[in-house]
PDB file of all heavy atoms in Angstrom:
ATOM      1  N   PRO L  55      -4.935  15.404  21.388  1.00 82.00           N
ATOM      2  CA  PRO L  55      -6.397  15.289  21.444  1.00 82.00           C
ATOM      3  C   PRO L  55      -6.990  14.249  20.486  1.00 82.00           C
ATOM      4  O   PRO L  55      -8.194  14.217  20.289  1.00 82.00           O
ATOM      5  CB  PRO L  55      -6.862  16.702  21.085  1.00 82.00           C
ATOM      6  CG  PRO L  55      -5.755  17.260  20.286  1.00 82.00           C
ATOM      7  CD  PRO L  55      -4.494  16.645  20.818  1.00 82.00           C
ATOM      8  N   PHE L  56      -6.160  13.416  19.898  1.00 86.00           N
ATOM      9  CA  PHE L  56      -6.630  12.393  18.958  1.00 86.00           C
ATOM     10  C   PHE L  56      -5.646  11.231  18.977  1.00 86.00           C
ATOM     11  O   PHE L  56      -4.484  11.394  19.354  1.00 86.00           O
ATOM     12  CB  PHE L  56      -6.723  12.972  17.541  1.00 86.00           C
ATOM     13  CG  PHE L  56      -5.557  13.863  17.201  1.00 86.00           C
ATOM     14  CD1 PHE L  56      -4.320  13.332  16.867  1.00 86.00           C
ATOM     15  CD2 PHE L  56      -5.688  15.238  17.247  1.00 86.00           C
ATOM     16  CE1 PHE L  56      -3.237  14.149  16.582  1.00 86.00           C
ATOM     17  CE2 PHE L  56      -4.610  16.071  16.963  1.00 86.00           C
ATOM     18  CZ  PHE L  56      -3.380  15.513  16.631  1.00 86.00           C
ATOM     19  N   PRO L  57      -6.071  10.044  18.580  1.00 88.00           N
ATOM     20  CA  PRO L  57      -5.150   8.901  18.525  1.00 88.00           C
ATOM     21  C   PRO L  57      -4.112   9.110  17.416  1.00 88.00           C
ATOM     22  O   PRO L  57      -4.442   9.635  16.355  1.00 88.00           O
ATOM     23  CB  PRO L  57      -6.047   7.712  18.213  1.00 88.00           C
ATOM     24  CG  PRO L  57      -7.426   8.220  18.066  1.00 88.00           C
ATOM     25  CD  PRO L  57      -7.427   9.696  18.214  1.00 88.00           C
ATOM     26  N   CYS L  58      -2.894   8.726  17.697  1.00 94.00           N
ATOM     27  CA  CYS L  58      -1.843   8.884  16.699  1.00 94.00           C
ATOM     28  C   CYS L  58      -0.779   7.804  16.874  1.00 94.00           C
ATOM     29  O   CYS L  58      -0.869   6.972  17.763  1.00 94.00           O
ATOM     30  CB  CYS L  58      -1.225  10.277  16.778  1.00 94.00           C
ATOM     31  SG  CYS L  58      -0.311  10.610  18.298  1.00 94.00           S
ATOM     32  N   ARG L  59       0.213   7.852  16.027  1.00 96.00           N
ATOM     33  CA  ARG L  59       1.321   6.908  16.061  1.00 96.00           C
ATOM     34  C   ARG L  59       2.627   7.708  16.091  1.00 96.00           C
ATOM     35  O   ARG L  59       2.630   8.907  15.799  1.00 96.00           O
ATOM     36  CB  ARG L  59       1.288   5.997  14.843  1.00 96.00           C
ATOM     37  CG  ARG L  59      -0.038   5.249  14.696  1.00 96.00           C
ATOM     38  CD  ARG L  59      -0.073   4.364  13.477  1.00 96.00           C
ATOM     39  NE  ARG L  59       0.620   3.112  13.699  1.00 96.00           N
ATOM     40  CZ  ARG L  59       0.119   2.084  14.384  1.00 96.00           C
ATOM     41  NH1 ARG L  59      -1.078   2.161  14.919  1.00 96.00           N
ATOM     42  NH2 ARG L  59       0.811   0.978  14.530  1.00 96.00           N
ATOM     43  N   PHE L  60       3.739   7.025  16.414  1.00 95.00           N
ATOM     44  CA  PHE L  60       5.041   7.691  16.390  1.00 95.00           C
ATOM     45  C   PHE L  60       6.093   6.748  15.840  1.00 95.00           C
ATOM     46  O   PHE L  60       5.964   5.527  15.913  1.00 95.00           O
ATOM     47  CB  PHE L  60       5.428   8.211  17.777  1.00 95.00           C
ATOM     48  CG  PHE L  60       5.768   7.133  18.772  1.00 95.00           C
ATOM     49  CD1 PHE L  60       7.079   6.811  19.055  1.00 95.00           C
ATOM     50  CD2 PHE L  60       4.760   6.435  19.443  1.00 95.00           C
ATOM     51  CE1 PHE L  60       7.390   5.822  19.983  1.00 95.00           C
ATOM     52  CE2 PHE L  60       5.047   5.463  20.364  1.00 95.00           C
ATOM     53  CZ  PHE L  60       6.373   5.149  20.643  1.00 95.00           C
ATOM     54  N   LEU L  61       7.135   7.351  15.274  1.00 97.00           N
ATOM     55  CA  LEU L  61       8.237   6.580  14.713  1.00 97.00           C
ATOM     56  C   LEU L  61       9.530   7.344  14.936  1.00 97.00           C
ATOM     57  O   LEU L  61       9.672   8.497  14.514  1.00 97.00           O
ATOM     58  CB  LEU L  61       8.019   6.341  13.213  1.00 97.00           C
ATOM     59  CG  LEU L  61       9.064   5.495  12.497  1.00 97.00           C
ATOM     60  CD1 LEU L  61       9.136   4.087  13.089  1.00 97.00           C
ATOM     61  CD2 LEU L  61       8.751   5.423  11.008  1.00 97.00           C
ATOM     62  N   GLN L  62      10.467   6.708  15.623  1.00 95.00           N
ATOM     63  CA  GLN L  62      11.794   7.283  15.856  1.00 95.00           C
ATOM     64  C   GLN L  62      12.549   7.299  14.534  1.00 95.00           C
ATOM     65  O   GLN L  62      12.531   6.326  13.784  1.00 95.00           O
ATOM     66  CB  GLN L  62      12.554   6.430  16.879  1.00 95.00           C
ATOM     67  CG  GLN L  62      14.016   6.785  17.035  1.00 95.00           C
ATOM     68  CD  GLN L  62      14.240   8.150  17.657  1.00 95.00           C
ATOM     69  OE1 GLN L  62      13.540   8.516  18.581  1.00 95.00           O
ATOM     70  NE2 GLN L  62      15.202   8.880  17.156  1.00 95.00           N
ATOM     71  N   VAL L  63      13.203   8.405  14.234  1.00 96.00           N
ATOM     72  CA  VAL L  63      14.051   8.500  13.047  1.00 96.00           C
ATOM     73  C   VAL L  63      15.416   7.960  13.462  1.00 96.00           C
ATOM     74  O   VAL L  63      16.102   8.570  14.280  1.00 96.00           O
ATOM     75  CB  VAL L  63      14.159   9.948  12.538  1.00 96.00           C
ATOM     76  CG1 VAL L  63      15.042  10.008  11.297  1.00 96.00           C
ATOM     77  CG2 VAL L  63      12.774  10.514  12.252  1.00 96.00           C
ATOM     78  N   SER L  64      15.782   6.805  12.916  1.00 93.00           N
ATOM     79  CA  SER L  64      17.009   6.140  13.370  1.00 93.00           C
ATOM     80  C   SER L  64      18.245   7.013  13.180  1.00 93.00           C
ATOM     81  O   SER L  64      18.333   7.803  12.241  1.00 93.00           O
ATOM     82  CB  SER L  64      17.196   4.800  12.650  1.00 93.00           C
ATOM     83  OG  SER L  64      17.361   4.996  11.280  1.00 93.00           O
ATOM     84  N   ASP L  65      19.167   6.867  14.102  1.00 92.00           N
ATOM     85  CA  ASP L  65      20.436   7.596  14.115  1.00 92.00           C
ATOM     86  C   ASP L  65      20.265   9.108  14.230  1.00 92.00           C
ATOM     87  O   ASP L  65      21.135   9.864  13.795  1.00 92.00           O
ATOM     88  CB  ASP L  65      21.278   7.264  12.881  1.00 92.00           C
ATOM     89  CG  ASP L  65      21.626   5.799  12.785  1.00 92.00           C
ATOM     90  OD1 ASP L  65      21.873   5.176  13.830  1.00 92.00           O
ATOM     91  OD2 ASP L  65      21.635   5.263  11.659  1.00 92.00           O
ATOM     92  N   THR L  66      19.141   9.549  14.780  1.00 93.00           N
ATOM     93  CA  THR L  66      18.909  10.979  15.004  1.00 93.00           C
ATOM     94  C   THR L  66      18.193  11.141  16.348  1.00 93.00           C
ATOM     95  O   THR L  66      17.653  10.181  16.873  1.00 93.00           O
ATOM     96  CB  THR L  66      18.012  11.605  13.907  1.00 93.00           C
ATOM     97  OG1 THR L  66      16.652  11.231  14.139  1.00 93.00           O
ATOM     98  CG2 THR L  66      18.446  11.219  12.507  1.00 93.00           C
ATOM     99  N   PRO L  67      18.128  12.372  16.862  1.00 92.00           N
ATOM    100  CA  PRO L  67      17.377  12.616  18.101  1.00 92.00           C
ATOM    101  C   PRO L  67      15.916  12.991  17.849  1.00 92.00           C
ATOM    102  O   PRO L  67      15.282  13.601  18.697  1.00 92.00           O
ATOM    103  CB  PRO L  67      18.151  13.785  18.718  1.00 92.00           C
ATOM    104  CG  PRO L  67      18.641  14.554  17.544  1.00 92.00           C
ATOM    105  CD  PRO L  67      18.965  13.510  16.497  1.00 92.00           C
ATOM    106  N   PHE L  68      15.373  12.630  16.674  1.00 95.00           N
ATOM    107  CA  PHE L  68      14.028  13.063  16.298  1.00 95.00           C
ATOM    108  C   PHE L  68      13.041  11.904  16.214  1.00 95.00           C
ATOM    109  O   PHE L  68      13.393  10.799  15.830  1.00 95.00           O
ATOM    110  CB  PHE L  68      14.055  13.805  14.960  1.00 95.00           C
ATOM    111  CG  PHE L  68      14.882  15.044  15.003  1.00 95.00           C
ATOM    112  CD1 PHE L  68      16.166  15.060  14.485  1.00 95.00           C
ATOM    113  CD2 PHE L  68      14.396  16.197  15.596  1.00 95.00           C
ATOM    114  CE1 PHE L  68      16.943  16.199  14.540  1.00 95.00           C
ATOM    115  CE2 PHE L  68      15.171  17.351  15.666  1.00 95.00           C
ATOM    116  CZ  PHE L  68      16.449  17.352  15.140  1.00 95.00           C
ATOM    117  N   THR L  69      11.794  12.213  16.579  1.00 95.00           N
ATOM    118  CA  THR L  69      10.681  11.273  16.482  1.00 95.00           C
ATOM    119  C   THR L  69       9.546  11.967  15.745  1.00 95.00           C
ATOM    120  O   THR L  69       9.238  13.126  16.035  1.00 95.00           O
ATOM    121  CB  THR L  69      10.198  10.849  17.886  1.00 95.00           C
ATOM    122  OG1 THR L  69      11.293  10.249  18.583  1.00 95.00           O
ATOM    123  CG2 THR L  69       9.047   9.860  17.804  1.00 95.00           C
ATOM    124  N   LEU L  70       8.932  11.267  14.800  1.00 97.00           N
ATOM    125  CA  LEU L  70       7.803  11.804  14.052  1.00 97.00           C
ATOM    126  C   LEU L  70       6.502  11.311  14.684  1.00 97.00           C
ATOM    127  O   LEU L  70       6.361  10.124  14.980  1.00 97.00           O
ATOM    128  CB  LEU L  70       7.857  11.343  12.596  1.00 97.00           C
ATOM    129  CG  LEU L  70       9.138  11.657  11.823  1.00 97.00           C
ATOM    130  CD1 LEU L  70       9.041  11.112  10.398  1.00 97.00           C
ATOM    131  CD2 LEU L  70       9.421  13.148  11.808  1.00 97.00           C
ATOM    132  N   TYR L  71       5.548  12.206  14.868  1.00 96.00           N
ATOM    133  CA  TYR L  71       4.210  11.865  15.357  1.00 96.00           C
ATOM    134  C   TYR L  71       3.258  12.085  14.191  1.00 96.00           C
ATOM    135  O   TYR L  71       3.312  13.132  13.538  1.00 96.00           O
ATOM    136  CB  TYR L  71       3.824  12.746  16.547  1.00 96.00           C
ATOM    137  CG  TYR L  71       4.601  12.377  17.779  1.00 96.00           C
ATOM    138  CD1 TYR L  71       5.872  12.878  17.999  1.00 96.00           C
ATOM    139  CD2 TYR L  71       4.063  11.488  18.702  1.00 96.00           C
ATOM    140  CE1 TYR L  71       6.595  12.512  19.116  1.00 96.00           C
ATOM    141  CE2 TYR L  71       4.790  11.122  19.830  1.00 96.00           C
ATOM    142  CZ  TYR L  71       6.052  11.640  20.027  1.00 96.00           C
ATOM    143  OH  TYR L  71       6.764  11.271  21.125  1.00 96.00           O
ATOM    144  N   TYR L  72       2.406  11.094  13.953  1.00 97.00           N
ATOM    145  CA  TYR L  72       1.573  11.184  12.757  1.00 97.00           C
ATOM    146  C   TYR L  72       0.223  10.509  12.921  1.00 97.00           C
ATOM    147  O   TYR L  72       0.014   9.697  13.812  1.00 97.00           O
ATOM    148  CB  TYR L  72       2.319  10.577  11.565  1.00 97.00           C
ATOM    149  CG  TYR L  72       2.563   9.089  11.645  1.00 97.00           C
ATOM    150  CD1 TYR L  72       1.703   8.204  11.009  1.00 97.00           C
ATOM    151  CD2 TYR L  72       3.645   8.567  12.340  1.00 97.00           C
ATOM    152  CE1 TYR L  72       1.905   6.836  11.068  1.00 97.00           C
ATOM    153  CE2 TYR L  72       3.869   7.203  12.398  1.00 97.00           C
ATOM    154  CZ  TYR L  72       2.995   6.339  11.764  1.00 97.00           C
ATOM    155  OH  TYR L  72       3.203   4.988  11.832  1.00 97.00           O
ATOM    156  N   LEU L  73      -0.663  10.900  12.019  1.00 96.00           N
ATOM    157  CA  LEU L  73      -1.997  10.308  11.907  1.00 96.00           C
ATOM    158  C   LEU L  73      -2.027   9.517  10.610  1.00 96.00           C
ATOM    159  O   LEU L  73      -1.409   9.913   9.630  1.00 96.00           O
ATOM    160  CB  LEU L  73      -3.070  11.394  11.804  1.00 96.00           C
ATOM    161  CG  LEU L  73      -3.131  12.419  12.904  1.00 96.00           C
ATOM    162  CD1 LEU L  73      -4.010  13.582  12.484  1.00 96.00           C
ATOM    163  CD2 LEU L  73      -3.692  11.780  14.144  1.00 96.00           C
ATOM    164  N   PHE L  74      -2.762   8.432  10.594  1.00 96.00           N
ATOM    165  CA  PHE L  74      -2.946   7.673   9.368  1.00 96.00           C
ATOM    166  C   PHE L  74      -4.432   7.536   9.109  1.00 96.00           C
ATOM    167  O   PHE L  74      -5.160   6.935   9.897  1.00 96.00           O
ATOM    168  CB  PHE L  74      -2.285   6.295   9.480  1.00 96.00           C
ATOM    169  CG  PHE L  74      -2.559   5.399   8.314  1.00 96.00           C
ATOM    170  CD1 PHE L  74      -2.473   5.864   7.014  1.00 96.00           C
ATOM    171  CD2 PHE L  74      -2.912   4.084   8.518  1.00 96.00           C
ATOM    172  CE1 PHE L  74      -2.731   5.028   5.932  1.00 96.00           C
ATOM    173  CE2 PHE L  74      -3.169   3.234   7.449  1.00 96.00           C
ATOM    174  CZ  PHE L  74      -3.080   3.710   6.152  1.00 96.00           C
TER     175      PHE L  74
END
Side-chain angles (χ1 to χ4, degrees):
F56 41 77
C58 66
R59 304 179 80 78
F60 70 100
L61 182 61
Q62 170 68 41
V63 180
S64 63
D65 300 323
T66 76
F68 298 101
T69 301
L70 304 179
Y71 288 84
Y72 66 97
L73 304 167
F74 174 45

